[in-house]
Structures are given as structure tokens and as C-alpha cells.
Amino acid sequence: MMVDEDNTTTCSTPLDRPEDAQTQPNNEITEERGRLKSVVWNHFKKRKVDGKDKAECNYCTRLLVGGSKNGTRHLHDHLKICPRKKFKDIRDMKQNILVRDQQNVDSMASVNAYHFDQDESRKELARMIILHEYPLSIVDHIGFRRYSTSLQPLFKMVCRNTIKKDIMGIYDHEREKSMHAIEKNRNRIAITTDMWTSQNKKRGFMVVTAHFIDDLWRLQSRVMRFIYVPSPHTKDVLSDVLLQTLLEWNIDRKLSTMTVDNCSTNDAVINIILDKLQRSTLVMRGSMLHMRCAAHVLNLIVQDGLNVIGSCIEKVRESVGFWTGSTKRRQRFTDTARQLHVECTKELALDCKTRWNSTYLMLSTAIEYRDVFFRLSQRESSYKCIPKEEEWEMASSICERLALFYKVTELFSGTSYPTANLFFPKVCEIKIALNSWFTSPSDMIRSMAFKMLEKFDCYWNVIHGVMAVATILDPRYKIELLEYYFPLIYGDEAENEIQKVRDTCYEMIRDYTSGRMGREGTRGTCVSEDPQVDDSLMDFERYLSQKKKGGNIKLELEHYLEDDLMPRTLEFDILAWWKSNGPKYPTLQRIARDILAIPVSTVASESAFSTSGRLLSPHRSKLHAKTVEALMCAQNWLWAEIKGLSSTVDGIEANTFQNILDDSDDEEESCVTTLGESENHS
């Protein structure tokens, strides 16, 4: 193949004669004495090569014999098969063609000038691989190469190493943009960190993500690092990696909270980080830095409860396993359900014991088919494991109770994480529900409630403080929500607990107005620099300033709490409310911007219920650690940019992450398959 100066491919077909293979640098266009009459010369140039007449194709630059005695038949034949003729007008002559507006799938096609750009096409190919987790080797796949050529024959397909360099270039560029976005953010940054595992070598990776609310009051998140961490993953190793990330991105003095999973190693990591950071730059001197992942807490609570009542679930599990054990049994189950007119569109699926959500889904579906199981037990002699009536009742009772946890965990772990104000009411509901289960007539339900409450209380006191403040900052709830829930939770101690939350609010306002957190424009200078002022009573001046400041602190908070509550509508946008009410409550607005950005969970919805950790896709887990980091980080940054530009791209929902593993024909079937595959990974 030959490559032109514009990096496009040309044809390497042999010339008509051996002497045509030599093209000298001093080729000249022939000056014709007479006018060339054939229309074929609109597509060829006359040249002299080594003293001989040649005809050079305007499109592929091939040289053919061009003497007047040779005729033009061979030139006409060449035009019929010239591989580049039909694209020459587009590339060189700038012919107008129909081009659809790619930003709007419904737009009318319009006439525009189209210019092929090899470099831009390479960038789009690299972005495609990053966004959708395609393997780098896709550029070597024959099918993909043929498809690309059919779309644009001018595009010169690159090799794997070249596309890797392009990806690293995108990573470097997007990293600078993300660092700038975080750097220019004037408010605090909340951090989440979690561990990922590769599937083939079982290598551990730490992902560190920053969460904040930008100047337009939109929730933003950026993956800062996706770091390979060699074993062993000790507290010293993890804390060192985390601290280096904070320093590299220059956010060690802008932290609000760090949300991590609940384990002793993470507790130790946070303590080490606190010792190495300047506490005066942290909110309330770092007392609120450590946040525990709410989804992980709920997972631990439910797992403890299911361990107590596992025997009641076993009979249902055996029945489901029996009727999903073969295609013939599945078909018979389906036919029986149709005969009984059971209106349930869910497919019967066996659960994965390490994922409590799959147990909940299995129970909820099996209960819908209760009559089908009974009918089949009368017709199938080998079916011996049908649950008894009391076991069905127990399964129904368990399923009803797990429904609350399932809905709350889905809320906490959505791909678009909720603002922190939504956390507290849901946790209060769980606390009250667990307390009420003690009145159940079933010994097993009471035992389950006891184990779950025991685990719940381990975390309640360490997570409810900052989240209660977030609830107060919700103008639909304010202090009234605490006044409703706390008597149900604390009884006679409710007033004392409410006052503790009030005191926390006052202390935070004091932090945000005193300037001791090192924020620009917030220093509480109280001594005049006027030389005519008597400085002999400087301490008295400070006293008056602090007294006045304390009054202002109370005034702003009390004024906010005394205002009427906003209507509790689903369309209410708390970020938009605080954006517009900043002039009225300036200090509270700054606090709200920091607190509402705190994520209550470290995990996305697909792994919220899992105890086995998060996994890299098979093809990415085989790559070098630096390449993996570039792919994972750039993917996050590019999706953030796409979602910020539009909710749809080319008619496809941009809010939904799409990758190579998304293929499915049926939604329920996809769910079942995912659970089965996850069981193998566990």
C-alpha cells in the first residue's frame, strides 16, 4: 500500500508496463499543442516520465500509457475500477453532500461541505473503545475493519499499539480538564473509595472518586485515580495511596467527608489519614470525615437476619431449584401456570446465597406461583420438597419485611446517587421497622429482628449526625422531621438528641464563618487596622465581635427554621432551591452545597447487594495497570461530559452506561443470567 501526504491510503496495483514502475522526481505535466478531445482527460493529467507520455489518474495517481497512438480505451476501463474515483470529489473538490445533524436525530438532512479527517476519526475510535469497554484488539478484527471500510474507505485503520497511544493521549487531556474542574470548585469535595478485583490475576485496584456540586448547582463526580495496589492491602499501604491521591489533586485542604466500606482496615486507614492532614482545614476538625457506606451497612444487617432464618427459606429454594433444573421441568411449570391463569410475568429463578437481593427476588416470585407449586405436587411424584403451609406464610412474612431494605438499597445505590438529605428518613424508617418486629408472634421473626438491630446499632450513632444535618437543610423537612422520628426512636431522650443535632448545626456555621478552615474570604477579622483606634482593649474588641457573630449564627439558622416548610412534591429540586435562596441564607447555602454532595454509598446499583466486591471486565483485567487506569478514568470523564451536554446522544439515553456486556433480549432473563454469573465470580 502507498500513503499520500494527507495520510490516506492509495492503491498499489501494478502498472500496465514494467517501465511504468519507475517514476522520477522530475516528472512534468505535458504541455499539449492541441486540445484533448476525449472526456476521459477530465480525469487524467498528461505527464512526461523518462521522456515518455504518461496519463496520471487524478484520483489514485496511477500512471498509465498516455501517448496519442495508444488510444483512450484503457483509460476508460481504469475509471470504471478506480478504487478512489467516487470519493475524490468529496475529499479534494469539496462537493456538497447530505449531512445529518448528529446532535439531533430528528433534524432534517441538510447540504453541507464534508471534509474527511483521519485524525478526528482516530480520536472517535479511541473514545468508542473507552466509553463502551470494547477490547483494544477490536482494531485487528476482520469484521470491524470491513465494516469501517464500508463506511469510509478513506479511513486508514490503525493497529493496536497506535490506538493505545491515542487512548493515553485522551486520558492525559481529560485528566487536565477534570483537575481543572475540581481545582476551580470553590466548595468542599467528598471522597469515596472502593476496591476492585481483576478476574484473571486477581489483582487489586483502588478507585478514588471526588463528589461535589458545581457553580451551576449540579451534582458532579470524577474518578481521580484507578490505582493498582499490590498485596498485601494493609492499612499503611492503602492510606499512603489515598493520601498521595489527595495531594496530587490538591484537595487535602478541601475535604468534607470520606465514604468507605465498613471494615476494620478502612477504620484504621481513616485514622492514619486524619493524623497526616491539617485538622484545622477540615469540617469540625475532622470529626465528620469518616462516612460509612450505607448500602454496605444495610447489606450486613440483612445478611445477619437471613442467617437466622435460613432454614425457612431452604424449602422454597429447593422447590425453585427442582423446577428450574431442566428445560423440560421449566416448560411444565410454565404450562401449569398458564392453565391456572397465574398472572405473573416474572421468571422463576434460583437465588445466589451471597446476594440477599436475589433471595428476596426468588421469594417474591415463588410466592406469586404458590398455587402452581401445589398443583405440580399433585401431579409429579418425584417432587417431594414442596413447602408446608406455615413455611409459605413465613416466606411471605420475610419477603414483606425485606421489601423495605430492597427499596432503600436501590435508592442509595443508584447510578445517579441521591443527595444526602434523602438518606436520613429512610434509615429512620428501617430503625422503626426493626423495633416493631419485636412484637411479632413468630419467635423466628423476633430472633431475626434482634440480630439485625444489633448490627444496626453498631453503625447508627456514627452515621446519623451529618445526615441529620442534611435533613434539616431540606426545606421540606427541617427540624420537624427529627421531632417526628426521634420520639419513636429515642423515647424520653428525644429532646436531648434533637438538641445535639442543633448544636452540630451551630458548630458547623461557626466553622464556616470563623475562617479557621482556611477558606478564602471567610476570615473573621475583628481588630481594626486604623492607627487612630485604641488597641489597648483588643481582647474586648474580640469579645464583642464573637458575641455579635454568635448572634448572627443563631439568627440565620433560627430564621431558616421558622420559615414555612416547602410542599413535599416529587418534582422538588433541593439544589435549585438552595441556589436561588443563597442571598437569604448565605452561610447555610455554603454548608448545603458541601453536605448535599456527600454520597451515602460507595457502590453502584449493580454491585450494591454483593459481598464479593467489584470486578473488572475480562478483557480489561488482562491489560497493564497503567492502561487499565487510563481506560477506567477516561471512561468516567467522557461519560460525565456527555451527560452534561445532553440527556440523549443520537437518540440514545446518555444517562445509562452502556458497555459490551449489555446484550440481552429479555429484561428478566438478563437479571437471572447476571445473578448466575455473579455466583461464579463470588
Side-chain angles (χ1 to χ4, degrees), residues 131 637-649 654:
L131 284 171
W637 302 333
L638 290 177
W639 274 116
E641 184 177 15
I642 289 173
K643 294 173 183 177
L645 292 174
S646 174
S647 60
T648 60
V649 178

Side-chain angles (χ1 to χ4, degrees), residues 306-370:
L306 291 180
N307 288 337
V308 175
I309 59 174
S311 58
C312 296
I313 302 172
E314 196 59 38
K315 275 290 187 69
V316 178
R317 182 179 289 121
E318 289 178 10
S319 292
V320 173
F322 181 89
W323 290 108
T324 58
S326 67
T327 304
K328 184 177 180 180
R329 288 178 180 174
R330 279 184 176 273
Q331 186 59 48
R332 188 171 182 184
F333 189 90
T334 302
D335 292 342
T336 305
R338 189 180 298 112
Q339 290 174 1
L340 295 176
H341 304 289
V342 176
E343 296 181 0
C344 182
T345 58
K346 299 177 183 177
E347 184 175 348
L348 201 64
L350 191 63
D351 70 330
C352 171
K353 293 183 180 180
T354 60
R355 292 175 177 254
W356 70 266
N357 68 309
S358 68
T359 302
Y360 166 76
L361 293 174
M362 179 191 70
L363 290 176
S364 61
T365 304
I367 291 168
E368 296 287 336
Y369 291 115
R370 181 174 174 177

Side-chain angles (χ1 to χ4, degrees), residues 658-670:
Q658 310 136 358
N659 71 4
I660 198 172
L661 303 176
D662 284 341
D663 286 350
S664 65
D665 291 325
D666 183 83
E667 190 171 331
E668 293 294 332
E669 184 177 327
S670 174

Side-chain angles (χ1 to χ4, degrees), residues 313-468:
I313 302 172
E314 196 59 38
K315 275 290 187 69
V316 178
R317 182 179 289 121
E318 289 178 10
S319 292
V320 173
F322 181 89
W323 290 108
T324 58
S326 67
T327 304
K328 184 177 180 180
R329 288 178 180 174
R330 279 184 176 273
Q331 186 59 48
R332 188 171 182 184
F333 189 90
T334 302
D335 292 342
T336 305
R338 189 180 298 112
Q339 290 174 1
L340 295 176
H341 304 289
V342 176
E343 296 181 0
C344 182
T345 58
K346 299 177 183 177
E347 184 175 348
L348 201 64
L350 191 63
D351 70 330
C352 171
K353 293 183 180 180
T354 60
R355 292 175 177 254
W356 70 266
N357 68 309
S358 68
T359 302
Y360 166 76
L361 293 174
M362 179 191 70
L363 290 176
S364 61
T365 304
I367 291 168
E368 296 287 336
Y369 291 115
R370 181 174 174 177
D371 292 339
V372 179
F373 285 108
F374 180 75
R375 171 66 65 86
L376 288 170
S377 68
Q378 296 175 319
R379 301 174 60 182
E380 179 60 60
S381 59
S382 60
Y383 176 38
K384 305 289 187 182
C385 53
I386 182 171
K388 299 178 182 178
E389 192 69 24
E390 57 270 21
E391 289 171 331
W392 279 116
E393 293 298 329
M394 180 59 64
S396 180
S397 180
I398 293 169
C399 190
E400 181 182 342
R401 286 165 170 77
L402 289 182
L404 173 61
F405 286 86
Y406 186 83
K407 292 177 181 178
V408 173
T409 305
E410 278 194 321
L411 170 66
F412 290 168
S413 310
T415 51
S416 299
Y417 68 89
T419 48
N421 58 300
L422 302 178
F423 172 83
F424 192 73
K426 300 300 181 182
V427 175
C428 287
E429 289 178 18
I430 290 175
K431 173 72 171 177
I432 294 170
L434 290 176
N435 288 337
S436 68
W437 295 354
F438 275 117
T439 62
S440 173
S442 169
D443 293 338
M444 193 163 293
I445 294 295
R446 290 198 301 271
S447 298
M448 181 183 74
F450 176 78
K451 287 294 292 183
M452 295 175 78
L453 263 176
E454 190 176 42
K455 181 72 70 174
F456 184 95
D457 290 338
C458 291
Y459 300 112
W460 167 254
N461 290 329
V462 296
I463 62 176
H464 87 281
V466 67
M467 294 298 103

Side-chain angles (χ1 to χ4, degrees), residues 148-264:
S148 299
T149 302
S150 70
L151 291 178
Q152 179 52 275
L154 296 180
F155 177 63
K156 182 179 183 296
M157 183 59 69
V158 296
C159 65
R160 177 189 170 111
N161 287 335
T162 301
I163 202 65
K164 181 178 175 181
K165 291 179 182 178
D166 291 344
I167 288 172
M168 297 304 295
I170 291 175
Y171 164 74
D172 292 335
H173 176 69
E174 294 297 329
R175 183 173 181 270
E176 289 296 323
K177 288 171 57 178
S178 296
M179 293 185 77
H180 177 68
I182 292 178
E183 178 69 26
K184 74 174 184 178
N185 180 63
R186 295 174 296 174
N187 279 59
R188 293 190 168 270
I189 308 293
I191 297 297
T192 58
T193 179
D194 199 6
M195 293 298 296
W196 287 57
T197 306
S198 63
Q199 290 181 319
N200 59 338
K201 299 181 180 179
K202 299 302 179 184
R203 296 181 299 172
F205 291 82
M206 174 189 282
V207 59
V208 184
T209 309
H211 307 265
F212 58 95
I213 295 175
D214 63 18
D215 291 339
L216 298 177
W217 281 81
R218 300 174 301 187
L219 277 172
Q220 299 282 358
S221 66
R222 297 290 187 277
V223 171
M224 297 188 295
R225 292 293 308 274
F226 196 92
I227 321 155
Y228 168 57
V229 184
S231 296
H233 299 156
T234 64
K235 61 181 180 180
D236 294 319
V237 171
L238 296 178
S239 61
D240 183 63
V241 170
L242 190 54
L243 184 61
Q244 289 303 316
T245 301
L246 300 179
L247 295 174
E248 180 182 349
W249 285 69
N250 193 30
I251 59 173
D252 55 302
R253 298 169 62 87
K254 296 174 61 176
L255 287 178
S256 58
T257 60
M258 297 181 67
T259 306
V260 295
D261 282 349
N262 302 279
C263 65
S264 56

Side-chain angles (χ1 to χ4, degrees), residues 43 45 77 119 132 147 240 294 305 320 334 346 408 421 466 492 504 525 595 610 655 679:
H43 307 279
K45 297 184 184 76
D77 291 341
D119 293 337
H132 306 295
Y147 171 72
D240 183 63
V320 173
T334 302
K346 299 177 183 177
V408 173
N421 58 300
V466 67
D492 295 338
T504 300
T525 304
I595 293 295
S610 173
N655 291 327
E679 184 174 8

